[in-house]
């Protein structure tokens, strides 16, 4: 019996996540236009919302870098007066009182605030009425599901980031069979990466077919968060 | 390096690169050629594709028979090379028949800031990708009021909102009493029966507006009489400053500062609930000021007696002056508020839209005005008129409780109802036009309105192949383009499903 060591599929660290080549398309054109015009934000605030993988955090980081804003993950938000522009990622997971005072303090000092969340702020489960009314008065822009052109580019980009060579014909084959969401593309790229590492051969249609199991359809469909799955 | 063209991989022979020896005529010609190449490419591939891939291509220069261009990342470079390389070659050759080769490299970075004159490349390069843009300073918003020399009387780090004056406060039945009390205090602070003034009401009904208006009025240069010093702050800020004073052992200064004003205004007092030390300090400040004949204005979300969690003695003292509440808005007041705001902003909005907003956004004034702000900002940014349709589109997050995810079954049902066919026809083998066409429409809508994959859509239509779905989508698309009536039918169905 010959023993062949299996390549370990270690999780890919997305170091290249915030590259300048953010994919632009119809689905995010409105958001990009707003991010470019901070001075026009009503009340100095803007919220980006959309499903997992729609690019909220990506845009938030790009915006923060460009505007020298401090990035605060929602759950880490604390009662501290801001000293500049603020980008609160997953603001729907922030403590309500902290978020309320942060919005007030930023408005008073004239600093812009960018928020992200899965749903528009008006629909966050906010108990503090003062915060709820501020959130409902905040301009919210949706990051929609990408169109075909974007999905094609996104899949190619994700595979390139992982340095997995997948022939274009196989990518096309996948595109017609995957749920048409950004989250599905991410999940597919992650799975192909793992499968190809384990198989130690180029990605063919047969290998690509392995990622299209039923549980994929469920997990990538926005019904449940597209977390890492066992394969 | 002269010319300052940054190229991260590979070096470019500077000798013949135009950027190195800029000659105005050549530079001009090159820039015109590049603009034409870009323009043609954009027309050929369409805006969406151009924005994704080609917008970031920057021209570095021409060296003999070779054009060099750059892109910020390897991925972009590879993609553009493999998908547009040949086309770029042809287009350049059409511009200049000496050109034999187009080289695309990876190169981030604009010319260094020290570059004296713009180089050919920097002058020609299209919009830079975001990371290359210089960080922009964000101007502090206009809402903040200059503190210091102009208005030395306002203390408490208060940035009073310039929009919140008596002039901009729209008075109606629900708020006329509170408004009258605020006016009275602004005209004649610390008068009998009006001290303290306690304003309360639900969120976003105008408590802060009235407090700022009092402060503006009291500190107006036009005001006759002795100047008054006003301190306005949120309860949160009062607490924050008090804690900071304790930490820095400067509580005496804190006390002096707050007890030497003529008018003290504390907004959102309910945030002091549960903060015993701060409440205690507030109580002493309050007493000191009232004893000295100074005016206090306080706002909260409930009446003094309902503010459970505040000490009894504080509640009693708060309620011993004038207590005025702001009620929820009425339809008439909402219309007046919107009309006043529209008149101030100078945009044109039809009365239909105003009535729609007044009808739909009933919670409070902040949200009402917020909605109007959003509409106006959207219209300005995208150059669109404010119609009922854009209103629903821009404000869909607050007008609808949730965005429904349409299912394929719902689509099939609606389509069947519309053309009066049976649900079973959606998955049947029948190919008669009167069932086949609606079935194709349903497939088309399933593709547009859900994120299901094509094979999955096919499965829901009697296990059809995904190529059948693709064909249906194309067929309906071209039919809609040629038949206006049919297109309207499909659009109507889509709106019904989305609504």
């Amino acid at each position: 019996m010959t023993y062949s060591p299996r390549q370990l599929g270690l999780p890919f660290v997305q170091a290249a996540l915030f590259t300048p080549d953010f994919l632009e398309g119809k689905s995010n054109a409105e958001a990009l236009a707003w991010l470019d015009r901070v001075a026009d934000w009503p009340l100095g605030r803007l919220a980006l919302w959309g499903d997992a993988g729609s690019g909220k955090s990506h845009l938030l980081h790009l915006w923060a870098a460009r505007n020298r804003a401090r990035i605060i993950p929602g759950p880490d938000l604390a009662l501290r007066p801001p000293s500049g522009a603020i980008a609160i990622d997953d603001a729907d997971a922030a403590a309500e009182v902290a978020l309320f005072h942060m919005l007030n303090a930023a408005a008073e000092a004239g600093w812009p605030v960018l928020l992200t969340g899965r749903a528009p702020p008006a629909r966050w489960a906010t108990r503090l009425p003062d915060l709820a009314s501020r959130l409902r008065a905040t301009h919210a822009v949706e990051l929609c599901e990408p169109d075909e052109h974007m999905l094609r580019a996104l899949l190619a980009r994700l595979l390139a980031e992982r340095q997995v060579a997948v022939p274009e014909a196989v990518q096309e084959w996948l595109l017609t069979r995957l749920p048409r969401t950004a989250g599905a593309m991410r999940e597919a790229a992650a799975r192909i990466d793992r499968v190809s590492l384990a198989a130690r051969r180029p990605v063919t249609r047969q290998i690509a077919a392995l990622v299209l199991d039923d549980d994929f359809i469920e997990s990538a469909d926005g019904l449940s968060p597209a977390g890492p799955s066992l394969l | 390096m002269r010319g300052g063209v940054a190229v991260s991989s590979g070096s470019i022979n500077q000798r013949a690169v135009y950027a190195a020896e800029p000659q105005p005529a050549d530079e001009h010609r090159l820039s015109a050629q590049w603009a034409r190449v870009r323009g043609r490419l954009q027309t050929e591939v369409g805006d969406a594709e151009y924005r994704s891939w080609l917008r970031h291509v920057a021209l570095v220069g021409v060296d003999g028979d070779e054009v060099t261009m750059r892109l910020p990342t390897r991925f972009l470079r590879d993609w553009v090379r493999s998908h547009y390389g040949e086309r770029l070659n042809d287009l350049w050759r059409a511009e200049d028949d000496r050109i034999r080769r187009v080289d695309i490299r990876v190169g981030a970075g604009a010319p260094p800031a020290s570059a004296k004159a713009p180089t050919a490349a920097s002058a020609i390069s299209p919009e830079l990708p975001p990371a290359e843009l210089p960080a922009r300073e964000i101007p502090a918003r206009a809402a903040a009021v200059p503190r210091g020399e102009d208005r030395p009387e306002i203390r408490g780090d208060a940035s009073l909102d310039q929009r919140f004056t008596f002039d901009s406060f729209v008075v109606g039945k629900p708020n006329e009493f509170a408004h009258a009390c605020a006016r009275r205090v602004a005209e004649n602070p610390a008068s009998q029966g009006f001290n303290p003034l306690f304003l309360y009401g639900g969120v976003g009904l105008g408590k802060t507006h009235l407090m700022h208006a009092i402060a503006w009025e009291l500190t107006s240069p036009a005001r006759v009489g002795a100047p008054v010093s006003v301190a306005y702050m949120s309860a949160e800020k009062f607490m924050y400053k008090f804690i900071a004073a304790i930490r820095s052992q400067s509580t005496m200064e804190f006390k002096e500062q707050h007890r030497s004003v003529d008018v003290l205004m504390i907004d959102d007092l309910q945030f002091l609930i549960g903060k015993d030390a701060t409440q205690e300090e507030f109580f002493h400040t309050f007493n000191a000021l009232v004893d000295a004949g100074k005016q206090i204005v306080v706002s909260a979300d409930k009446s003094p007696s309902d503010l459970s969690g505040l000490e009894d003695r504080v509640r009693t003292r708060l309620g011993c002056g004038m207590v005025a509440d702001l009620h929820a808005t009425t339809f008439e007041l909402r219309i007046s508020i919107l009309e006043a705001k529209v008149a101030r902003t100078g945009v044109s909005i039809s009365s239909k839209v105003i009535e729609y907003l007044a009808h739909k956004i009933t919670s409070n004034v902040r949200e009402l005005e917020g909605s109007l702000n959003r509409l106006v900002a959207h219209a300005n940014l995208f150059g669109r008129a404010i119609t009922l349709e854009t209103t629903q589109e821009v404000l869909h997050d607050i007008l609808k409780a949730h965005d429904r995810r349409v299912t394929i079954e719902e689509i099939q049902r609606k389509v069947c109802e519309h053309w009066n066919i049976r649900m079973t026809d959606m998955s049947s083998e029948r190919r008669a036009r009167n069932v086949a066409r609606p079935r194709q429409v349903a497939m088309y809508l399933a593709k547009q309105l859900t994120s299901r994959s094509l094979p999955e859509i096919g499965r829901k239509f009697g296990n059809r192949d995904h190529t059948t779905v693709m064909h249906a989508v194309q067929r309906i698309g071209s039919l809609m383009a040629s038949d206006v009536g049919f297109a309207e039918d499909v659009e109507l169905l889509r709106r019904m499903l989305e609504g």
Side-chain angles (χ1 to χ4, degrees):
Chain A
M1 191 181 93
T2 53
Y3 172 72
S4 125
R6 255 187 81 190
Q7 168 90 43
L8 277 181
L10 296 173
F12 171 67
V13 181
Q14 288 190 303
L17 193 60
F18 303 112
T19 49
D21 50 344
F22 184 79
L23 296 171
E24 296 186 27
K26 249 189 279 169
S27 59
N28 56 31
E30 192 179 336
L32 287 167
W34 278 110
L35 289 176
D36 232 20
R37 298 272 289 270
V38 181
D40 295 327
W41 292 4
L43 308 171
R45 293 199 288 268
L46 185 75
L48 296 179
W49 64 281
D51 280 336
S54 56
K56 303 181 294 286
S57 296
H58 194 149
L59 282 177
L60 177 125
H61 278 77
L62 286 178
W63 179 83
R66 237 206 270 183
N67 294 286
R68 295 186 185 150
R70 193 153 65 95
I71 298 170
I72 311 172
D76 299 349
L77 192 67
L79 296 168
R80 241 177 69 196
S83 56
I86 305 158
I88 307 174
D89 205 4
D90 296 326
D92 43 354
E96 291 192 9
V97 174
L99 185 57
F100 172 68
H101 291 310
M102 182 58 96
L103 291 182
N104 283 348
E108 202 175 288
W111 295 114
V113 181
L114 178 66
L115 310 165
T116 67
R118 288 279 179 101
R123 294 183 207 150
W124 297 351
T126 311
R127 279 199 303 269
L128 189 63
D130 307 75
L131 176 62
S133 84
R134 277 162 181 80
L135 289 175
R136 289 175 63 86
T138 299
H139 188 50
V141 181
E142 182 181 4
L143 288 166
C144 308
E145 283 302 347
D147 56 22
E148 246 155 283
H149 162 73
M150 272 273 280
L151 286 174
R152 178 170 292 116
L154 182 63
L155 182 62
R157 234 278 293 284
L158 291 165
L159 292 169
E161 273 178 4
R162 292 170 176 275
Q163 308 203 332
V164 195
V166 179
E168 237 171 87
V170 177
Q171 293 190 27
E172 284 301 320
W173 184 86
L174 275 168
L175 280 168
T176 52
R177 283 161 182 82
L178 285 168
R180 288 166 291 122
T181 65
M185 298 301 134
R186 271 176 215 290
E187 176 68 12
R191 287 188 180 198
I192 287 173
D193 192 8
R194 259 173 282 151
V195 175
S196 72
L197 269 180
R200 292 194 300 170
R201 58 193 174 92
V203 179
T204 57
R205 190 170 291 186
Q206 283 71 33
I207 289 194
L210 289 175
V211 312
L212 289 170
D213 56 5
D214 288 345
D215 106 279
F216 182 90
I217 306 285
E218 285 304 308
S219 69
D221 214 17
L223 298 172
S224 62
S229 71
L230 301 167
L231 208 127
Chain B
M1 177 173 115
R2 187 143 180 234
V5 181
V7 177
S8 68
S9 67
S11 69
I12 293 168
N13 184 350
Q14 288 293 302
R15 184 175 36 85
V17 172
Y18 291 163
E21 299 292 338
Q23 290 166 11
D26 281 348
E27 202 176 296
H28 186 77
R29 188 170 54 84
L30 186 59
S31 124
Q33 288 176 336
W34 178 217
R36 278 196 296 273
V37 168
R38 287 204 327 256
R40 291 208 181 105
L41 211 49
Q42 186 163 10
T43 323
E44 285 174 19
V45 305
D47 285 347
E49 234 176 290
Y50 182 86
R51 278 166 67 84
S52 292
W53 306 114
L54 297 159
R55 193 173 66 109
H56 301 307
V57 182
L59 179 64
V60 177
V62 176
D63 183 1
D65 62 354
E66 182 176 305
V67 180
T68 305
M69 289 177 291
R70 67 174 159 80
L71 275 156
T73 65
R74 245 182 64 186
F75 169 67
L76 272 178
R77 195 264 321 262
D78 293 347
W79 184 282
V80 169
R81 249 191 204 164
S82 66
H83 290 78
Y84 310 103
E86 230 167 87
R87 203 56 206 127
L88 275 167
N89 234 325
D90 294 346
L91 286 169
W92 270 110
R93 216 175 278 184
E95 287 294 333
D96 185 343
D97 52 15
R98 284 171 307 173
I99 286 171
R100 290 282 166 271
R101 233 171 74 77
V102 171
D103 188 22
I104 307 174
R105 300 175 175 204
V106 180
S114 59
K116 283 186 191 92
T119 63
S122 70
I124 294 164
S125 61
E127 291 172 73
L128 293 168
E132 295 181 18
L133 287 173
R136 270 176 283 174
E137 290 298 330
I138 299 161
R141 293 175 61 76
V145 171
R147 277 163 247 151
E149 59 282 6
D150 287 335
R151 289 180 176 269
E153 310 90 334
I154 300 177
R155 295 192 205 162
D157 290 357
S159 299
L160 293 180
D161 196 318
Q162 280 180 327
R163 297 164 306 168
F164 289 171
T165 62
F166 280 122
D167 285 343
S168 64
F169 191 87
V170 180
V171 186
K173 271 229 148 35
N175 59 24
E176 62 186 4
F177 181 64
H179 173 258
C181 294
R183 275 263 186 213
R184 171 70 184 265
V185 166
E187 276 153 24
N188 199 359
S191 60
Q192 188 78 42
F194 284 85
N195 197 18
L197 172 62
F198 190 99
L199 299 168
Y200 79 94
V203 294
L205 293 179
K207 302 184 294 284
T208 301
H209 189 144
L210 284 178
M211 291 180 100
H212 286 208
I214 293 172
W216 283 123
E217 197 73 13
L218 284 169
T219 57
S220 157
R223 187 176 184 274
V224 287
V228 271
S229 61
V230 179
Y232 164 87
M233 72 195 80
S234 63
E236 154 77 10
K237 191 136 209 168
F238 183 84
M239 180 173 76
Y240 188 81
K241 288 176 76 179
F242 180 57
I243 293 169
I246 293 174
R247 286 212 183 112
S248 63
Q249 297 181 320
S250 56
T251 45
M252 281 317 290
E253 281 155 47
F254 176 88
K255 284 176 206 288
E256 265 167 40
Q257 203 186 353
H258 291 90
R259 292 175 194 187
S260 63
V261 294
D262 296 313
V263 180
L264 177 69
M265 301 203 271
I266 304 287
D267 209 352
D268 282 331
L269 192 79
Q270 69 271 17
F271 286 101
L272 287 194
I273 288 173
K275 318 281 194 257
D276 293 343
T278 312
Q279 244 182 70
E280 178 85 17
E281 176 58 27
F282 171 73
F283 183 66
H284 293 310
T285 306
F286 183 100
N287 286 337
L289 285 169
V290 172
D291 291 346
K294 311 291 190 185
Q295 175 76 46
I296 304 242
V297 184
V298 168
S299 83
D301 61 347
K302 297 188 195 73
S303 72
S305 54
D306 289 336
L307 275 176
S308 52
L310 276 190
E311 280 181 60
D312 283 348
R313 54 179 184 161
V314 179
R315 282 195 291 185
T316 316
R317 293 228 67 171
L318 284 171
C320 68
M322 179 59 71
V323 177
D325 61 342
L326 293 117
H327 298 277
T329 56
T330 56
F331 181 74
E332 289 72 29
L333 180 57
R334 290 196 292 277
I335 292 275
S336 313
I337 288 169
L338 288 169
E339 279 172 348
K341 182 128 180 108
V342 166
R344 272 201 308 279
T345 49
V347 287
S348 85
I349 300 180
S350 73
S351 55
K352 224 164 69 185
V353 172
I354 290 182
E355 274 173 33
Y356 179 78
L357 287 176
H359 189 69
K360 286 283 184 183
I361 300 164
T362 56
S363 43
N364 59 54
V365 182
R366 179 181 295 128
E367 287 169 32
L368 191 66
E369 291 199 338
S371 303
L372 191 62
N373 285 338
R374 293 178 62 184
L375 276 180
V376 172
H378 184 271
N380 286 340
L381 183 55
F382 297 101
R384 290 177 64 185
I386 301 174
T387 61
L388 213 50
E389 212 171 24
T390 48
T391 302
Q392 287 167 340
E393 191 187 307
V394 174
L395 302 177
H396 76 121
D397 58 307
I398 54 170
L399 291 173
K400 287 195 233 158
H402 48 82
D403 283 314
R404 279 174 353 101
R405 275 177 205 273
V406 186
T407 65
I408 294 176
E409 287 75 14
E410 281 174 90
I411 294 171
Q412 292 175 329
R413 201 171 310 123
K414 262 284 179 291
V415 170
C416 287
E417 279 168 21
H418 187 78
W419 275 290
N420 205 16
I421 56 173
R422 290 189 309 266
M423 263 302 260
T424 49
D425 284 331
M426 285 286 137
S427 42
S428 77
E429 294 289 323
R430 290 182 59 204
R431 297 174 69 173
R433 168 79 63 90
N434 69 326
V435 272
R437 186 73 81 232
R439 193 188 295 133
Q440 286 180 324
V441 169
M443 288 183 191
Y444 171 88
L445 288 170
K447 162 104 195 299
Q448 303 293 323
L449 300 179
T450 76
S451 56
R452 301 285 164 174
S453 67
L454 300 183
E456 221 197 329
I457 295 174
R459 271 198 291 280
K460 304 260 181 179
F461 286 85
N463 267 328
R464 284 177 159 80
D465 192 65
H466 77 271
T467 51
T468 310
V469 181
M470 274 156 90
H471 173 73
V473 171
Q474 278 161 9
R475 185 89 191 98
I476 297 303
S478 58
L479 271 177
M480 284 173 74
S482 61
D483 182 344
V484 181
F486 179 70
E488 274 173 9
D489 260 13
V490 178
E491 273 308 309
L492 177 75
L493 278 166
R494 176 217 286 275
R495 271 205 299 278
M496 287 197 308
L497 284 159
E498 280 182 328

